[in-house]
Amino acid sequence: MPEIRKDPVTGRLVILSAERAQRPQPFALDRNPVDMGPCPFCAGNETMTPPEVFAYRADQKHSDRPGWTVRVVPNKYPAVVNDGNSSKYKDGIYEWMNGLGVHEVIIESPDHVENMAMLSEKQFEQVLLAYRDRMLYLSSDKRWRYILLYKNQGTEAGATLPHVHSQLIALPLAPKEVADEMTGARGYFDSTGDCVYCELIRREIHDGRRIVAGNERFVVLCPYASRFCYEVWVLPRKHLSCFDTTPKDDLAELSRTLRQILIRLNRQLADPPFNYMIHSNPLGEAENGFYHWHMEIVPKLTQVAGFELGSGSYINPVVPEDAARLLREVAL
Amino acid sequence: MPEIRKDPVTGRLVILSAERAQRPQPFALDRNPVDMGPCPFCAGNETMTPPEVFAYRADQKHSDRPGWTVRVVPNKYPAVVNDGNSSKYKDGIYEWMNGLGVHEVIIESPDHVENMAMLSEKQFEQVLLAYRDRMLYLSSDKRWRYILLYKNQGTEAGATLPHVHSQLIALPLAPKEVADEMTGARGYFDSTGDCVYCELIRREIHDGRRIVAGNERFVVLCPYASRFCYEVWVLPRKHLSCFDTTPKDDLAELSRTLRQILIRLNRQLADPPFNYMIHSNPLGEAENGFYHWHMEIVPKLTQVAGFELGSGSYINPVVPEDAARLLREVAL
């Protein structure tokens, strides 16, 4: 079973999972890539993955066969394992937990598409609905405290398989990055009575220089303190803490918004590898006035290197005002 | 001038430096690498770099000419600029500073060596002495609050040029990663009266499973909560907060220790790209009982991807006990 360990100085969490080393290509930077064989995510190859836990398909009786539009399967090489209950241990300065959790793969198309922006609007919507359905389903399990939805597209962004897919990890505790956001947002709320993300949206719309696109429901912007070149955030204009309570109409609008920004990134940066992550309220925390769910999209154009690892800060050579202008100017 | 911006929610710092985008290959992942031409770090090409600020050479009168063993020059594409004083600004939720600082390159050999482990013991010692000399020199400037010394070796680890070199960035404030370490170490000290790193060293030596190598002055280990596969730390056995007060004899021992661990990593992992960082006391903080300088070495075998970016946590497929054993068993 994997193990979740805590750094005795910083409290940073690490999931140690020897299972992950069993992947055909565990080290993304291997100089001699192995032949991956037939694609396990394509329709027709359903037996190559663990049995599906969820799918949109015309006939729900025939699982693990073609006929689906979006299919969710357990990760074959999971970082965490859904087996039993969470147990904490301590030995002097060291603390750890068993590596309990859920690690799923959302296969975003039955066809062998490698670039998410090539999916139709309808397919995008199905993907986002699947995210919401899985989050709603898993949040009823009281063992989970956080669900992180994320995507790695391209080898340089950490993808092992090229077929369009995203991943979901449910954990028994909220990780550091989310805890930091919650602390900051709660602090702002305590001193102003306002949501810091709502204020950020108002300021950015008024200023305009970092806005990439927008509509009645969502705003797309390059954040003021962008860590990475062409980093882009998508935020709902209406305050909402939990992604999984987003109404269906809003998800449809989000799918159009997201598809469009990926097309902009592809045209401006020649189909870059990228990651995106959805930051939502920790499970079991009620909808509140201070936390505002959002999506962070990070093209992978530079390496996280010694400075970033050693300082926890970032050097970004493209100011967000320039990135936003260039992305805004992309002809669609 | 570059700008240091603070994320309004998490407080994370970002250095925005358009200068950096002027590098011949600003995006390490460009699929069509440019021809870099002659190596600006080789002896004989001194005019290709900005004028040197420091060098070990037989005849100090002849700067910027061959005859040196280690040479330090300003980074030609600096992240921060040494011009004037630090000024802070605030506009509502946004806070920023001018991008004041020092960004230098330590050229580790006059010969075109690309793998640091190929340097002689003598040369290693000169490199570490140069680190110490630059830190001592820069720490007399009261504008600097932190000096980070780090190395990127290999394109995948963020190096733009292959000739062995490391970098130094002096900043007007202590970055997040260091502040987190200081907070954790101070907290442990306040409740126990002891240094958490000293306790960690005692435990690890007693346990033995995560020890890679050691001698009277230094211990080399894979940390309990290793973020990355084959992550290795080097710590002085005797408590010391500041790297730059390390005695010369200890630096000589450190250079042998460091060289040996790089050889181990090269043999076990086939010359991996890697980063290392030296974590030392912030400037202006007195030598104290709680902070313990150390070196973190991180082979670059996997990508920082969506999970890491979204959670601030890490998935590591190689448990440190296995990594330490394999590194220990390397035939030298």
Side-chain angles (χ1 to χ4, degrees), chain B residues 241-255:
Chain B
S241 305
C242 305
F243 169 80
D244 55 356
T245 54
T246 303
K248 192 163 191 252
D249 282 356
D250 285 20
L251 281 189
E253 185 68 53
L254 177 62
S255 63

Side-chain angles (χ1 to χ4, degrees), chain A residues 143-157:
Chain A
R143 292 175 301 166
W144 316 134
R145 174 87 176 127
Y146 199 76
I147 298 175
L148 182 69
L149 257 156
Y150 63 97
K151 175 190 258 296
N152 304 334
Q153 181 174 304
T155 311
E156 299 90 342

Side-chain angles (χ1 to χ4, degrees), chain A residues 5 9 12 14-15 17 29 91 94 96 152 177 203-204 224 226 270 279 300 306 310-311 314 316-317 321, chain B residues 5 12 14-15 17 29 31 91 94 96 152 177 203-204 224 226 279 300 306 310-311 314 316-317 321:
Chain A
R5 292 187 186 176
V9 184
R12 188 170 48 209
V14 172
I15 302 174
S17 167
L29 297 172
D91 177 15
Y94 293 144
W96 71 100
N152 304 334
E177 184 70 19
R203 287 185 73 91
E204 292 299 338
Y224 173 75
S226 292
H279 275 177
K300 181 83 178 202
S311 70
Y314 294 83
N316 177 355
E321 294 75 17
Chain B
R5 292 188 186 175
R12 186 169 50 210
V14 171
I15 302 174
S17 167
L29 297 171
R31 273 149 282 187
D91 178 15
Y94 293 143
W96 70 100
N152 305 335
E177 185 70 19
R203 288 186 73 91
E204 292 299 337
Y224 173 75
S226 293
H279 275 177
K300 180 83 178 202
S311 71
Y314 293 84
N316 177 356
E321 294 76 17

Side-chain angles (χ1 to χ4, degrees), chain A residues 25-262:
Chain A
Q25 185 89 20
F27 299 135
L29 297 172
D30 271 357
R31 273 149 281 188
N32 303 305
V34 297
D35 177 7
M36 304 294 280
C39 174
F41 293 169
C42 280
N45 297 342
E46 286 80 3
T47 55
M48 292 179 69
T49 68
E52 71 193 36
V53 293
F54 180 88
Y56 292 131
R57 53 168 77 245
D59 182 353
Q60 289 293 347
K61 276 182 296 185
H62 294 93
S63 62
D64 295 318
R65 293 192 210 170
W68 50 276
T69 51
V70 173
R71 185 170 176 256
V72 182
V73 299
N75 194 308
K76 195 169 176 180
Y77 307 100
V80 281
V81 174
N82 187 356
D83 181 15
N85 285 296
S86 186
S87 307
K88 290 188 183 181
Y89 306 90
K90 187 169 161 50
D91 177 15
I93 55 172
Y94 293 144
E95 292 176 54
W96 71 100
M97 303 167 71
N98 53 337
L100 185 74
V102 177
H103 192 173
E104 294 181 346
V105 177
I106 297 101
I107 307 171
E108 296 168 352
S109 167
D111 305 320
H112 192 76
V113 174
E114 300 196 354
N115 188 325
M116 193 190 191
M118 304 299 284
L119 298 179
S120 67
E121 276 187 16
K122 180 74 197 146
Q123 191 68 22
F124 253 89
E125 199 180 326
Q126 294 260 304
V127 170
L128 294 181
L129 281 168
Y131 288 178
R132 193 183 67 167
D133 282 349
R134 289 313 288 163
M135 279 185 79
L136 284 173
Y137 174 79
L138 290 165
S139 62
S140 69
D141 188 328
K142 298 302 169 207
R143 292 175 301 166
W144 316 134
R145 174 87 176 127
Y146 199 76
I147 298 175
L148 182 69
L149 257 156
Y150 63 97
K151 175 190 258 296
N152 304 334
Q153 181 174 304
T155 311
E156 299 90 342
T160 312
L161 290 168
H163 189 124
V164 282
H165 69 283
S166 28
Q167 298 182 66
L168 166 165
I169 290 192
L171 292 171
L173 72 183
K176 190 171 172 64
E177 184 70 19
V178 176
D180 283 354
E181 281 189 357
M182 295 293 284
T183 303
R186 196 181 268 119
Y188 187 82
F189 185 81
D190 287 347
S191 67
T192 65
D194 197 6
C195 163
V196 65
Y197 295 95
C198 286
E199 168 61 10
L200 180 161
I201 291 168
R202 281 191 299 270
R203 287 185 73 91
E204 292 299 338
I205 290 174
H206 180 257
D207 179 309
R209 286 175 300 159
R210 286 177 291 266
I211 298 289
V212 177
N215 50 55
E216 273 188 27
R217 291 172 167 139
F218 293 93
V219 60
V220 181
L221 53 83
C222 294
Y224 173 75
S226 292
R227 290 161 291 181
F228 300 102
C229 319
Y230 296 93
E231 178 172 350
V232 173
W233 291 3
V234 182
L235 303 108
R237 292 179 71 153
K238 197 176 148 196
H239 182 82
L240 192 64
S241 303
C242 306
F243 170 79
D244 56 356
T245 54
T246 303
K248 192 162 191 256
D249 281 358
D250 285 20
L251 281 188
E253 184 68 51
L254 178 61
S255 64
R256 286 188 290 274
T257 307
L258 179 59
R259 183 167 180 270
Q260 197 208 63
I261 180 62
L262 294 184

Side-chain angles (χ1 to χ4, degrees), chain A residues 3-10 12-21 23 26-31 79 91-96 103 146 148 150-152 155-159 169 171 175-178 180-185 188 196-197 199-200 203-204 209-210 223-231 233 269-273 275-277 279 296 298 300-322, chain B residues 3-10 12-21 23 26-31 79 91-96 103 146 148 150-152 155-159 169 171 175-178 180-185 188 196-197 199-200 203-204 209-210 223-231 233 269-273 275-277 279 296 298 300-322:
Chain A
E3 208 172 286
I4 302 176
R5 292 187 186 176
K6 196 170 171 177
D7 182 88
V9 184
T10 60
R12 188 170 48 209
L13 298 180
V14 172
I15 302 174
L16 295 171
S17 167
E19 296 275 326
R20 299 285 292 164
R23 287 187 295 173
F27 299 135
L29 297 172
D30 271 357
R31 273 149 281 188
D91 177 15
I93 55 172
Y94 293 144
E95 292 176 54
W96 71 100
H103 192 173
Y146 199 76
L148 182 69
Y150 63 97
K151 175 190 258 296
N152 304 334
T155 311
E156 299 90 342
I169 290 192
L171 292 171
K176 190 171 172 64
E177 184 70 19
V178 176
D180 283 354
E181 281 189 357
M182 295 293 284
T183 303
Y188 187 82
V196 65
Y197 295 95
E199 168 61 10
L200 180 161
R203 287 185 73 91
E204 292 299 338
R209 286 175 300 159
R210 286 177 291 266
Y224 173 75
S226 292
R227 290 161 291 181
F228 300 102
C229 319
Y230 296 93
E231 178 172 350
W233 291 3
L269 301 168
D271 302 341
N275 303 106
Y276 69 58
M277 297 75 75
H279 275 177
E296 303 184 2
V298 178
K300 181 83 178 202
L301 301 169
T302 54
Q303 298 287 8
V304 169
F307 177 76
E308 287 79 9
L309 291 171
S311 70
S313 305
Y314 294 83
I315 299 172
N316 177 355
V318 181
V319 296
E321 294 75 17
D322 288 346
Chain B
E3 208 173 287
I4 302 176
R5 292 188 186 175
K6 195 171 173 178
D7 181 88
V9 184
T10 60
R12 186 169 50 210
L13 298 179
V14 171
I15 302 174
L16 295 170
S17 167
E19 295 276 324
R20 298 285 292 163
R23 288 186 294 174
F27 299 134
L29 297 171
D30 270 358
R31 273 149 282 187
D91 178 15
I93 55 172
Y94 293 143
E95 292 176 55
W96 70 100
H103 191 174
Y146 199 76
L148 182 69
Y150 63 98
K151 174 190 258 296
N152 305 335
T155 312
E156 300 89 342
I169 290 192
L171 292 172
K176 188 172 174 64
E177 185 70 19
V178 177
D180 283 355
E181 281 189 357
M182 295 294 285
T183 303
Y188 186 83
V196 65
Y197 295 95
E199 168 62 8
L200 181 161
R203 288 186 73 91
E204 292 299 337
R209 287 175 301 159
R210 286 177 290 267
Y224 173 75
S226 293
R227 291 159 292 180
F228 300 101
C229 319
Y230 296 92
E231 178 171 349
W233 291 3
L269 301 170
D271 302 341
N275 304 106
Y276 70 57
M277 296 75 72
H279 275 177
E296 302 183 0
V298 177
K300 180 83 178 202
L301 301 168
T302 54
Q303 299 288 7
V304 169
F307 178 76
E308 286 79 8
L309 291 171
S311 71
S313 305
Y314 293 84
I315 299 172
N316 177 356
V318 181
V319 297
E321 294 76 17
D322 289 346

